[in-house]
Amino acid sequence: MNLVQTKDVSGISEYVRAMERLLRVIQDLSASRDLNTVMDIVRHSARDLTGSDGATFVLRDGDLCYYAEEDAISPLWKGHRFPMKICISGWVMMHKEPTIIEDIYTDDRIPVDVYRKTFVRSLAMVPIRTKDPIGAIGCYWSYKHRATEEEVKVLHVLADTASIAMENIQYQNIIEQKAAQMEETLKGTLQAIAKMVEQKDLYTSGHQQRVGLIGYAIAKEMGWDEERCETVLRAGTIHDIGKIGIPGELLSKPAKLMPYEYAQIKTHSEAGYQILKDIPLLLPVAKIILQHHERIDGSGYPDGLKNEEILPEAQVLAIADVFESMTSHRPYRPALGNDAALEELEKNKGRLYNPEMVDVLIRLVQENRLEFLK
Ligand SMILES: [Fe+2]
């Protein structure tokens, strides 16, 4: 190595170079996102920075020492577990202190018969997290060598940094798990809301889900990022939630609606917004739902918004909603079919509907890419 303070020709001491290498290792460890990467960095750098012939990374597994990773002349005990009481890494963890062994054959803590098959003659080992060790890091030499103070310090720095990195990974995993649970809960809640609406209006059973999927497909094809596409999917899945407050007879009336009845139906987008707007996670969805009957020429409701005043997500949903409604059975008419629905959208693109989004849907249908509609 190593950490000896000698000057080379360029005037930069090897010590400084070693410190730079150590700093890089600390940065790499801090950026690690999984345990294997941490172990990989530690065992390579422990060997590299101390100039030892081998390095080991041991994890505590209950009352056992688990030799998780090794970097040595030949693998020693990688993948094996030993009782804490019989191995030196166990001693280090139980005593919460480092150990330096210049000659393993003169140290009665070492089961020499086991070591005789290996190249190891001397070693240094430090616990990972001194207060409550979760593992140990060690270096092996093939000759009699008393590890220097600097070499042990390097091991300490690696152990401390590895411990922080491992804790970070643990927190990261917990956060990811919680986020996944929340995502599942949200999905389940949205499905439950969708079913509630569809219980009231049996003719629209499955309509919302299909609108969500069509909207998602259009958004994806538009090149939007996954989160934005997911928001469109969520909004579609419950876009008619406001119909919960409208009498069932009106929703499934098998005849043309009277103007006052139609006016009542039209309240559902505002009602949906009011139901959802106070749930922070669903506020973006609430805003899309509020606007899903707006039309780009200003002829829609509830606010008669025009063009870019309407959220692009709501413009996508409007197209998906019209397409799905026209291709499904309704109490007052049979399904009109894909061609008629696309013709209607084509006829009104640029007037009622965003032309680019209509073209995207036409392409998706013509290329048979809406699998779920089959
Ligand atoms: Fe609607």
Side-chain angles (χ1 to χ4, degrees):
M1 130 110 175
N2 327 17
L3 298 175
V4 275
Q5 222 163 342
T6 54
K7 298 266 184 185
D8 66 14
V9 279
S10 67
I12 301 171
S13 73
E14 248 190 68
Y15 183 81
V16 172
R17 286 182 202 277
M19 282 301 115
E20 281 173 353
R21 260 155 49 210
L22 186 57
L23 193 63
R24 258 202 312 278
V25 169
I26 292 171
Q27 285 166 341
D28 289 348
L29 275 176
S30 309
S32 302
R33 288 290 165 265
D34 62 87
L35 182 60
N36 283 338
T37 309
V38 170
M39 293 195 296
D40 203 47
I41 295 172
V42 168
R43 69 194 169 94
H44 279 121
S45 50
R47 191 173 168 185
D48 178 43
L49 288 163
T50 61
S52 62
D53 299 313
T56 191
F57 194 112
V58 184
L59 288 171
R60 183 173 182 166
D61 180 9
D63 285 337
L64 302 174
C65 294
Y66 169 49
Y67 281 73
E69 262 306 345
E70 292 194 303
D71 183 26
I73 292 168
S74 61
L76 297 168
W77 300 294
K78 184 177 167 177
H80 290 265
R81 286 175 170 80
F82 301 103
M84 301 264 284
K85 285 185 201 120
I86 65 157
C87 62
I88 195 67
S89 57
W91 186 94
V92 163
M93 284 189 253
M94 287 190 296
H95 289 79
K96 302 175 181 180
E97 62 182 72
T99 188
I100 297 169
I101 301 176
E102 192 176 350
D103 184 354
I104 59 162
Y105 295 104
T106 60
D107 193 302
D108 54 15
R109 291 170 298 174
I110 298 286
V112 284
D113 286 343
V114 184
Y115 273 80
R116 225 179 284 281
K117 300 170 210 146
T118 74
F119 69 90
V120 179
R121 184 69 194 268
S122 55
L123 60 83
M125 197 161 277
V126 301
I128 302 173
R129 207 170 69 182
T130 320
K131 205 173 157 200
D132 177 23
I134 50 172
I137 295 171
C139 281
Y140 305 122
W141 286 266
S142 59
Y143 51 93
K144 261 175 83 173
H145 169 73
R146 180 157 187 83
T148 64
E149 202 182 317
E150 286 86 358
E151 286 163 349
V152 176
K153 264 186 195 154
V154 165
L155 283 181
H156 270 304
V157 170
L158 289 176
D160 289 347
T161 317
S163 150
I164 295 167
M166 284 158 80
E167 266 177 37
N168 285 345
I169 290 166
Q170 213 175 4
Y171 290 137
Q172 189 66 29
N173 288 344
I174 292 172
I175 291 169
E176 277 169 16
Q177 252 175 23
K178 293 277 173 208
Q181 279 171 3
M182 211 156 116
E183 185 69 35
E184 278 306 301
T185 308
L186 182 63
K187 254 189 209 159
T189 309
L190 295 182
Q191 294 296 344
I193 295 173
K195 275 189 193 141
M196 267 161 56
V197 181
E198 289 167 10
Q199 289 264 322
K200 259 204 110 164
D201 180 11
L202 292 177
Y203 283 98
T204 61
S205 175
H207 162 70
Q208 299 188 100
Q209 187 156 14
R210 286 192 296 272
V211 169
L213 291 171
I214 297 167
Y216 178 88
I218 297 173
K220 202 80 191 156
E221 186 72 5
M222 297 280 295
W224 294 1
D225 64 49
E226 183 58 27
E227 202 182 329
R228 207 170 168 200
C229 298
E230 281 282 336
T231 304
V232 172
L233 175 66
R234 286 176 191 158
T237 309
I238 54 170
H239 71 276
D240 279 336
I241 183 178
K243 286 186 177 170
I244 204 103
I246 295 172
E249 318 83 74
L250 201 58
L251 295 173
S252 50
K253 188 175 170 182
K256 205 170 179 338
L257 297 172
M258 302 298 286
Y260 70 91
E261 291 174 325
Y262 186 50
Q264 201 174 348
I265 296 267
K266 279 163 72 174
T267 60
H268 81 277
S269 39
E270 169 77 34
Y273 172 74
Q274 291 299 336
I275 292 169
L276 300 170
K277 73 175 180 17
D278 296 324
I279 306 169
L281 207 58
L282 292 180
L283 183 60
V285 165
K287 288 180 180 168
I288 299 168
I289 288 175
L290 175 66
Q291 298 182 0
H292 80 279
H293 282 287
E294 299 287 1
R295 298 293 179 253
I296 61 173
D297 64 351
S299 64
Y301 60 85
D303 296 315
L305 301 178
K306 284 184 181 171
N307 298 311
E308 59 278 3
E309 291 172 347
I310 309 167
L311 291 168
E313 290 85 345
Q315 297 186 34
V316 165
L317 219 55
I319 294 166
D321 192 15
V322 168
F323 178 77
E324 207 293 320
S325 300
M326 287 187 71
T327 51
S328 303
H329 289 279
R330 280 290 179 272
Y332 45 87
R333 58 147 176 82
L336 300 170
N338 286 358
D339 291 345
L342 292 185
E343 209 176 295
E344 165 71 16
L345 288 169
E346 177 74 48
K347 196 173 74 191
N348 290 304
K349 80 176 187 191
R351 188 173 73 82
L352 301 180
Y353 312 111
N354 179 305
E356 192 192 344
M357 294 171 185
V358 169
D359 287 342
V360 164
L361 177 61
I362 292 174
R363 190 163 69 237
L364 289 172
V365 174
Q366 285 175 346
E367 291 175 5
N368 269 326
R369 287 162 63 196
L370 299 179
E371 291 287 323
F372 48 89
L373 290 183
K374 287 173 190 164

